[in-house]
Amino acid sequence: MKKLEQTQSIMQRLFDPKIKGYNTYVDTTHKKQVRQSLPQSVKKMYYQYYLAQHWEEICGSNLARQCAVEGLNDDVLTIRTSSSLFANELFMLKKDFLRKLNKFLAGELVIKELKFYTGKLPARTSPLTKKEQEQEKLSIVTCPLCQARMTSEKTICSVCERQQRAARRSKVVELLKCQPWLDYKKCQALLPCDSFTFNSAKESLQNYYFELVRLGYAKEADSYMAVMLLTGKSVDELNESLIKNSLEYLRRNQDVSASRI
């Protein structure tokens, strides 16, 4: 037992993250202490082991059940996750997660990049308690649209949410192609959407048709579309003077953009 404790003490002295690359040992022949550089590869192996052993302390018990340390190669830490949902969430929080990991390693900048992939996680060393099982059932549900695993805080998963947002934006674009003079309030009466989606759709159309006019590629229908997007006037409200002045403005002001308007 004493030998085991002594070995652990030596390993702690050699590989403790607080040691910045140099260790000492006693040269019995010359009876003096010698500073010896510890190979970086060996320190990396210990960092990986150290993180794996303290993973629950770093991530918290809930997240630690959904991901695990896979490997540390150079300054890139690979993390295995139970599903693409958790991989995406960790990727979105990558900067904060990196800062927390390096802070845990005594403040040394050991890890500079994180990579995530989905796979089967290693078995837990201890079984889930009854309370943990109940919490896991409450926190993890399936998306009603694609059946992917997600947290119970959301109504649909992030992938389906992005797809729905893209579909709404496409509908707004099609509506504006038919009625380019619409503003957000009038659009809401025909097709409910948030202001960000509406503005994004309208700006993309403005940039496209304004550029056709500036470059001289606009046909008659394209010119009318650009004027209506610029002025917010319907076809019935357009006149020859308004059209001429608007087109001259777009051709003359080469730096005009939808965002500036």
Side-chain angles (χ1 to χ4, degrees):
M1 186 67 179
K2 290 183 178 180
K3 289 184 178 180
L4 177 61
E5 291 176 355
Q6 184 180 10
T7 303
Q8 289 179 341
S9 176
I10 293 172
M11 292 292 288
Q12 181 70 15
R13 189 177 73 252
L14 286 175
F15 300 112
D16 194 306
K18 296 178 181 178
I19 299 174
K20 298 184 177 181
Y22 289 93
N23 301 275
T24 60
Y25 70 94
V26 177
D27 186 346
T28 55
T29 304
H30 300 89
K31 298 182 178 180
K32 63 178 182 178
Q33 282 191 340
V34 180
R35 290 172 64 84
Q36 183 183 40
S37 176
L38 186 67
Q40 192 67 15
S41 59
V42 179
K43 286 184 72 70
K44 296 291 185 183
M45 290 174 62
Y46 178 71
Y47 288 140
Q48 178 181 334
Y49 168 80
Y50 191 80
L51 289 174
Q53 291 299 309
H54 297 82
W55 194 240
E56 186 169 335
E57 183 180 346
I58 296 170
C59 303
S61 57
N62 291 332
L63 186 57
R65 290 199 296 269
Q66 306 300 334
C67 61
V69 173
E70 180 66 19
L72 179 60
N73 185 16
D74 293 331
D75 52 9
V76 179
L77 179 67
T78 304
I79 298 175
R80 190 190 313 189
T81 62
S82 60
S83 69
S84 57
L85 170 66
F86 287 99
N88 183 63
E89 289 185 356
L90 288 176
F91 180 79
M92 298 298 290
L93 300 171
K94 185 166 68 171
K95 287 185 178 180
D96 292 334
F97 200 29
L98 267 173
R99 193 180 301 111
K100 187 173 183 179
L101 288 170
N102 284 309
K103 184 178 180 181
F104 196 82
L105 294 174
E108 292 190 23
L109 186 59
V110 177
I111 305 168
K112 297 181 180 178
E113 185 61 46
L114 296 176
K115 288 186 177 180
F116 306 96
Y117 82 97
T118 303
K120 186 178 180 181
L121 296 178
R124 282 172 56 93
T125 54
S126 59
L128 292 175
T129 64
K130 186 175 181 180
K131 184 177 180 180
E132 287 177 332
Q133 291 175 354
E134 292 175 354
Q135 288 179 343
E136 191 172 56
K137 289 179 181 179
L138 292 174
S139 61
I140 304 299
V141 296
T142 57
C143 174
L145 300 179
C146 67
Q147 306 306 313
R149 288 163 60 88
M150 66 176 194
T151 59
S152 57
E153 299 172 353
K154 298 182 177 180
T155 54
I156 58 175
C157 70
S158 56
V159 175
C160 291
E161 187 177 4
R162 285 196 297 270
Q163 291 175 345
Q164 287 190 353
R165 193 182 303 119
R168 284 196 299 269
R169 186 180 183 278
S170 297
K171 291 180 179 179
V172 174
V173 168
E174 292 303 318
L175 177 61
L176 288 174
K177 284 182 178 180
C178 298
Q179 302 181 55
W181 57 85
L182 290 178
D183 57 19
Y184 176 61
K185 186 176 181 180
K186 293 177 181 177
C187 178
Q188 280 289 83
L190 300 173
L191 180 63
C193 66
D194 58 90
S195 59
F196 177 82
T197 300
F198 174 82
N199 291 330
S200 174
K202 188 163 187 176
E203 285 182 10
S204 66
L205 284 177
Q206 286 176 325
N207 289 330
Y208 175 74
Y209 286 103
F210 292 174
E211 191 69 10
L212 288 180
V213 173
R214 281 197 295 266
L215 297 176
Y217 297 147
K219 299 178 181 179
E220 185 177 8
D222 298 330
S223 298
Y224 284 144
M225 180 70 74
V227 172
M228 287 185 286
L229 287 168
L230 176 66
T231 62
K233 303 291 185 181
S234 64
V235 177
D236 298 334
E237 296 174 305
L238 296 180
N239 55 57
E240 186 175 346
S241 176
L242 180 61
I243 295 172
K244 181 181 178 181
N245 292 336
S246 298
L247 294 177
E248 286 181 356
Y249 170 78
L250 292 175
R251 296 189 187 104
R252 182 174 63 251
N253 296 275
Q254 295 297 313
D255 60 341
V256 69
S257 64
S259 58
R260 288 188 61 187
I261 294 172

